[in-house]
Amino acid sequence: MAITLRLPQKDRTLRDYTLVGGTPVAPVAGVPLQNRIAFSAAHVVCDPFADADPGSNAQIDWDG
């Protein structure tokens, strides 16, 4: 099953990108798992079409 994402471009358009499946990476034998905890606010996103630098002056997409 192919998964397609719509990604914003610099010219303020959207482009479809289809993920391509392949052979999964095999786990390294003898290396213990290292669990991590990630915290995020997935419902808060930058406006991908805002005229701003998302790394220092992100504009919030309140409608997204």
Side-chain angles (χ1 to χ4, degrees):
M1 176 174 102
I3 297 174
T4 301
L5 304 171
R6 300 200 78 200
L7 300 175
Q9 304 299 299
K10 287 183 177 182
D11 63 358
R12 302 176 67 82
T13 61
L14 295 173
R15 179 178 63 92
D16 288 343
Y17 177 79
T18 302
L19 299 173
V20 178
T23 305
V25 177
V28 179
V31 176
L33 293 176
Q34 296 179 354
N35 293 331
R36 298 182 193 151
I37 298 174
F39 297 96
S40 68
H43 60 281
V44 178
V45 295
C46 296
D47 181 357
F49 296 118
D51 189 19
D53 178 12
S56 64
N57 185 23
Q59 302 298 312
I60 302 297
D61 182 6
W62 294 106
D63 297 326

